[in-house]
Amino acid sequence: MIRQMKHGQMTLTEPISPSSATSRAHLTRGYTIALISAAFLSTTAIFIRYLTVTYAIPPLVLAFWRDVFVMTTLLPVLSVLRPALLRAERRYIPYLAAYGLVLSLFNILWTFSVALNGAAVATVLCYCSAAFTALLGWWLLKERLDSVKWLAIVLSLAGCAMVSGVFAQSVWRISVVGVLVGTAAGLSYAIYSLMGRSAAQRGLNPWTTLCYTFGFATVFLLGFNLLPETVMPGGANSLADFFWLGKSWAGWGMLILLSAGPTVAGFGLYNVSLGYLPSSVVNLIATSEPVFTATSAYFLLGERLNGTQITGSLMILSGVIALRLYDGWLESRSRILSADLADFLNG
């Protein structure tokens, strides 16, 4: 759009900044996509819990097949609908390979953290990534870091702790190694978020990024699974272990459903949201995942939310809402300042 401005006898032409409605729609779209992503990702815990409890499948074997089936879902769909998305410029391949390595390392560290710390503590340690992402995003990507974002981080982390039930003394009987591994999982998740934001800034399509990232992660996980048990526990001790589920078609079906459904949709929409919002904001919204998990467990598994969990859920959602309102206020203030400047130039 162009605005014609008269300054004395001259007519100046300058671009008009996007309308407030367009900017608000952009923000709303980003927040909505990120929340839907968190909702999808929250269901993966239920699938993984079912597979590990029912079939005792080694965690890294599960992670490997999960990535394989993500690829066997994405490749034919993109080949038919958007074949151009399967091609990435050669100069981006090393970056995407590093991105896939980060994803595979996050899967491994998360698995070890759950094994060492238990699900509740592992979840809280993982979501310390919100603080890591905010700091690294401010340092590396020049993202905004202010008091409102820190308030949202505190509310999200405290709420996540309450939903996960880490205030029970028994769950904190963990080792220093467990804390370090759990914190490393959070750091790797923060790096994953930052690399996704960087990929969006480089102009890479989020679905292209997802396809290549999971493709490289599959290769890395295959290699990690083949390492000796003393080096990489939780993997395949032999080639036969890769087919742990054997002839259990129900188990394979559940694994395919986990990959083709919540994993593709969850990680795909997560990458899409990074094109609209800073990585620190998307990572903060991701901390609402335990809320969705608890809600799903209530309806699907009959698990009940106690008062502490409900309070924690409200704290997480309050942090996300506060951040959204603040972003909207910043956008409105920027628009008003632009309008005032235009009025001043018009005389």
Side-chain angles (χ1 to χ4, degrees):
M1 294 178 64
I2 309 289
R3 174 184 291 161
Q4 299 292 331
M5 297 176 55
K6 290 187 176 180
H7 186 64
Q9 299 300 316
M10 293 181 61
T11 299
L12 302 178
T13 302
E14 69 171 18
I16 295 179
S17 60
S19 68
S20 60
T22 302
S23 298
R24 283 196 298 269
H26 188 87
L27 279 174
T28 300
R29 189 177 297 115
Y31 274 82
T32 301
I33 293 172
L35 282 169
I36 294 174
S37 166
F40 273 112
L41 288 173
S42 70
T43 63
T44 61
I46 296 174
F47 283 95
I48 292 173
R49 179 180 177 183
Y50 174 82
L51 286 166
T52 53
V53 170
T54 305
Y55 300 100
I57 182 173
L60 293 188
V61 174
L62 190 158
F64 167 74
W65 283 111
R66 181 185 180 188
D67 287 7
V68 167
F69 289 131
V70 166
M71 292 302 300
T72 55
T73 299
L74 281 174
L75 288 176
V77 171
L78 294 180
S79 296
V80 173
L81 299 180
R82 297 284 300 277
L85 296 183
L86 293 175
R87 294 187 292 273
E89 295 182 36
R90 183 174 298 178
R91 61 194 173 110
Y92 292 134
I93 298 301
Y95 181 84
L96 292 169
Y99 197 1
L101 176 61
V102 170
L103 175 60
S104 64
L105 290 175
F106 167 67
N107 285 335
I108 292 171
L109 289 167
W110 166 251
T111 300
F112 284 155
S113 181
V114 172
L116 292 169
N117 304 318
V121 175
T123 299
V124 174
L125 291 174
C126 178
Y127 282 114
C128 66
S129 61
F132 284 135
T133 306
L135 289 170
L136 292 174
W138 167 73
W139 180 36
L140 299 175
L141 302 181
K142 310 306 179 186
E143 295 180 353
R144 193 184 77 250
L145 182 60
D146 49 32
S147 57
V148 175
K149 185 170 289 186
W150 279 115
L151 174 63
I153 290 172
V154 171
L155 286 172
S156 296
L157 292 179
C160 185
M162 295 173 75
V163 173
S164 301
V166 296
F167 290 107
Q169 293 183 356
S170 58
V171 302
W172 283 103
R173 296 171 183 170
I174 55 179
S175 65
V176 174
V177 174
V179 173
L180 292 175
V181 170
T183 304
L187 179 59
S188 65
Y189 191 44
I191 296 172
Y192 177 87
S193 300
L194 290 170
M195 294 188 75
R197 178 66 173 174
S198 179
Q201 292 174 342
R202 293 164 189 253
L204 286 165
N205 184 280
W207 297 102
T208 302
T209 301
L210 185 72
C211 186
Y212 277 84
T213 301
F214 271 86
F216 281 116
T218 300
V219 175
F220 287 122
L221 281 169
L222 174 62
F224 290 136
N225 267 285
L226 294 176
L227 293 174
E229 180 72 14
T230 53
V231 177
M232 188 65 66
N237 293 321
S238 64
L239 290 176
D241 284 345
F242 279 105
F243 301 94
W244 187 277
L245 294 174
K247 296 182 179 179
S248 176
W249 298 113
W252 286 110
M254 188 65 70
L255 185 52
I256 292 172
L257 185 60
L258 162 67
S259 306
T263 301
V264 169
F267 279 94
L269 292 175
Y270 189 93
N271 285 356
V272 171
S273 68
L274 288 168
Y276 291 94
L277 301 170
S279 55
S280 54
V281 173
V282 175
N283 195 277
L284 273 170
I285 297 173
T287 62
S288 62
E289 184 180 329
V291 178
F292 290 113
T293 300
T295 304
S296 300
Y298 173 81
F299 288 105
L300 299 178
L301 304 176
E303 297 182 2
R304 295 292 183 265
L305 294 175
N306 57 38
T308 301
Q309 290 175 313
I310 293 174
T311 302
S313 300
L314 294 175
M315 289 175 66
I316 294 172
L317 296 178
S318 296
V320 173
I321 292 171
L323 201 58
R324 172 64 184 90
L325 293 175
Y326 182 62
D327 280 340
W329 176 78
L330 286 176
E331 185 277 327
S332 297
R333 187 181 68 169
S334 175
R335 178 174 56 85
I336 292 171
L337 290 175
S338 297
D340 289 344
L341 178 61
D343 291 340
F344 174 76
L345 291 175
N346 280 325

